[in-house]
Amino acid sequence: RKEVEQDPGPFNVPEGATVAFNCTYSNSASQSFFWYRQDCRKEPKLLMSVYSSGNEDGRFTAQLNRASQYISLLIRDSKLSDSATYLCVVNGGKSTFGDGTTLTVKP
Amino acid sequence: DVKVTQSSRYLVKRTGEKVFLECVQDMDHENMFWYRQDPGLGLRLIYFSYDVKMKEKGDIPEGYSVSREKKERFSLILESASTNQTSMYLCASSPGTGGYEQYFGPGTRLTVT
């Protein structure tokens, strides 16, 4: 079993839709969590950190559920420009990246 | 803004050649990392360094070595390139230890023929 698992998708949604991704992790001692966005043939870029209390940045909301060991990313009112691969990162002494979930937003 | 730069965007080398990939960061970050990214396999950590002249093996160090002589520069070396090392190589840096976010360079797409 992988340390960090994501549904690879692809998720194909219409503009304006709400979409949610989950990421499960196996190391219960993990301490920090992030979501990255990676566009095709580009490097990953930090989207947002994930805090125990949850955090929101515009249309994006990240949540952490320590009891069930998963983090989530919710995107509301999807835009065409949200099309990308979303990677979750879990730090438990070292950073472990998920393989990513691909999102395609269609007109 | 943090800037991480890599010496080449695209590189084509022949089997058996020695290959140097260089990475420079301008934010005085302690930690630097080398990953490779392949379709279906995600990002895999090759080596990382948490201080000058310090290095630690990642998940797939075989066939690679690294050098960190200065804090801002972290080099990845393929001693004898092989076709299975054809990949996208990504360098990253982060400030200190304890689970900080990582900042990536633009990547080097290496093809070994």
Side-chain angles (χ1 to χ4, degrees):
Chain A
R1 184 189 168 194
K2 289 187 175 181
E3 291 182 52
V4 176
E5 297 208 56
Q6 292 184 251
D7 182 344
F11 284 64
N12 297 307
V13 303
E15 270 187 291
T18 296
V19 61
F21 310 134
N22 282 343
C23 169
T24 59
Y25 61 94
S26 58
N27 182 358
S28 59
S30 298
Q31 298 168 342
S32 59
F33 308 85
F34 305 95
W35 283 102
Y36 282 72
R37 171 197 169 120
Q38 185 172 24
D39 293 299
C40 189
R41 298 187 173 273
K42 296 286 185 76
E43 74 272 24
K45 291 187 177 178
L46 180 68
L47 180 65
M48 57 198 309
S49 303
V50 188
Y51 305 119
S52 297
S53 54
N55 53 310
E56 188 173 310
D57 182 4
R59 298 181 293 108
F60 297 82
T61 300
Q63 298 273 1
L64 166 63
N65 185 317
R66 283 193 184 273
S68 300
Q69 293 183 205
Y70 74 86
I71 63 172
S72 63
L73 177 68
L74 181 77
I75 305 175
R76 290 180 298 277
D77 188 24
S78 300
K79 311 290 185 194
L80 297 177
S81 57
D82 294 334
S83 298
T85 297
Y86 292 84
L87 307 170
C88 66
V89 183
V90 175
N91 284 312
K94 64 165 189 168
S95 296
T96 302
F97 285 75
D99 291 346
T101 297
T102 299
L103 170 67
T104 301
V105 181
K106 304 194 172 191
Chain B
D1 272 356
V2 175
K3 194 160 184 186
V4 181
T5 57
Q6 295 184 227
S7 49
S8 306
R9 292 299 302 271
Y10 299 93
L11 209 52
V12 180
K13 295 291 181 181
R14 293 191 180 276
T15 301
E17 280 193 82
K18 191 168 186 176
V19 181
F20 292 88
L21 303 182
E22 298 213 317
C23 174
V24 177
Q25 50 96 1
D26 67 356
M27 284 302 292
D28 201 35
H29 282 174
E30 306 288 334
N31 297 344
M32 296 187 75
F33 308 82
W34 274 107
Y35 294 89
R36 63 179 283 178
Q37 188 173 34
D38 302 285
L41 296 175
L43 272 165
R44 293 182 290 168
L45 181 64
I46 304 171
Y47 268 97
F48 66 100
S49 167
Y50 52 87
D51 202 352
V52 175
K53 297 193 186 294
M54 304 298 287
K55 59 185 179 184
E56 294 283 342
K57 292 180 180 179
D59 299 318
I60 52 162
E62 297 80 17
Y64 304 94
S65 61
V66 290
S67 171
R68 193 166 180 202
E69 297 296 320
K70 293 185 177 181
K71 192 174 185 180
E72 68 272 17
R73 189 179 297 269
F74 192 33
S75 301
L76 179 70
I77 302 148
L78 287 66
E79 295 288 342
S80 177
S82 62
T83 55
N84 63 12
Q85 292 179 309
T86 292
S87 186
M88 168 69 90
Y89 289 88
L90 288 156
C91 174
S93 72
S94 73
T97 55
Y100 290 89
E101 62 270 26
Q102 295 183 26
Y103 298 88
F104 285 84
T108 295
R109 188 165 293 279
L110 173 67
T111 302
V112 183
T113 60

